[in-house]
Amino acid sequence: MNSHGQDGQQNGQSGQRVVWTVVRTDIGPLLLAATEDGLVNVVFHASEAVRDKAVEALAARLGTEPVEAPDSPLLAEPIRQLAAYFAGERHDFELPLDWTLVSGFNRQVLRELAAAVPYGALVGYGDLAARVGQPGAAQAVGAAMGANPLPVVVPCHRVVESDGGIGGFGGGLETKRHLLALEGVLPQPLF
């Protein structure tokens, strides 16, 4: 089922639908994209230019043209759960996830992160590497976090440096700080 042709056309031929919308959040606009299998992509800072690039990339990777569909039932639950998360009412996402955009070591690490690092907790890059049986792979874990197609929902913001540094973040450090403050790990930024 998961064997894609060289150009990813297989999904398109199987009638895979990809729907997307942009939602306003405390950390700016997020693009959410979903397939029949689940949420497939979350993109930070979804200005028009970022949005167009993300939709283009999804079309290339999934072999089908994503459709803007804010009212799609495939997006209803992700929209609802993200709103509850930013309102401080939800700590865990219970969403079907489509892992198509990530494979191998990156997928293994991200699945472990999603399953085992709860709201308000932090994990070091090296610790996460050890949890998937690759204790020397802290840098590879960093790369996996940078390649996370499902940020916020798969909580790469909870991965930090073992010396107490905040570490990098695809959405920018201000966004990472905001998410950690929301979860009570860091004090709320003053400005």
Side-chain angles (χ1 to χ4, degrees), residues 9 27 36 46 56 75 107 127 130 140 150 163 183 189:
Q9 285 304 313
I27 55 170
E36 308 283 347
E56 219 171 275
L75 291 167
R107 183 186 292 197
D127 297 340
L150 293 160
D163 63 6
E183 296 189 7

Side-chain angles (χ1 to χ4, degrees), residues 39-179:
L39 190 64
V40 71
N41 205 191
V42 176
V43 180
F44 289 117
H45 314 303
S47 63
E48 209 167 310
V50 168
R51 185 193 71 199
D52 291 349
K53 203 169 144 192
V55 169
E56 219 171 275
L58 280 168
R61 290 288 302 277
L62 301 176
T64 186
E65 198 56 47
V67 178
E68 185 172 10
D71 299 327
S72 168
L74 299 177
L75 291 167
E77 204 46 31
I79 291 169
R80 199 181 67 72
Q81 290 191 24
L82 275 160
Y85 170 80
F86 283 109
E89 295 157 8
R90 171 177 278 280
H91 292 180
D92 299 303
F93 292 100
E94 291 162 34
L95 294 170
L97 300 178
D98 179 337
W99 294 95
T100 304
L101 298 177
V102 62
S103 60
F105 177 78
N106 288 8
R107 183 186 292 197
Q108 195 186 353
V109 169
L110 290 168
R111 289 184 92 121
E112 173 66 19
L113 173 64
V117 183
Y119 186 95
L122 297 175
V123 65
Y125 293 96
D127 297 340
L128 195 50
R131 286 187 191 195
V132 295
Q134 303 277 345
Q139 278 188 307
V141 166
M145 296 307 109
N148 180 7
L150 293 160
V152 184
V153 177
V154 176
C156 53
H157 57 277
R158 296 180 191 152
V159 185
V160 296
E161 292 168 355
S162 53
D163 63 6
I166 193 167
F169 194 59
L173 291 185
E174 193 181 320
T175 301
K176 185 170 187 171
R177 284 194 189 96
H178 189 100
L179 291 168

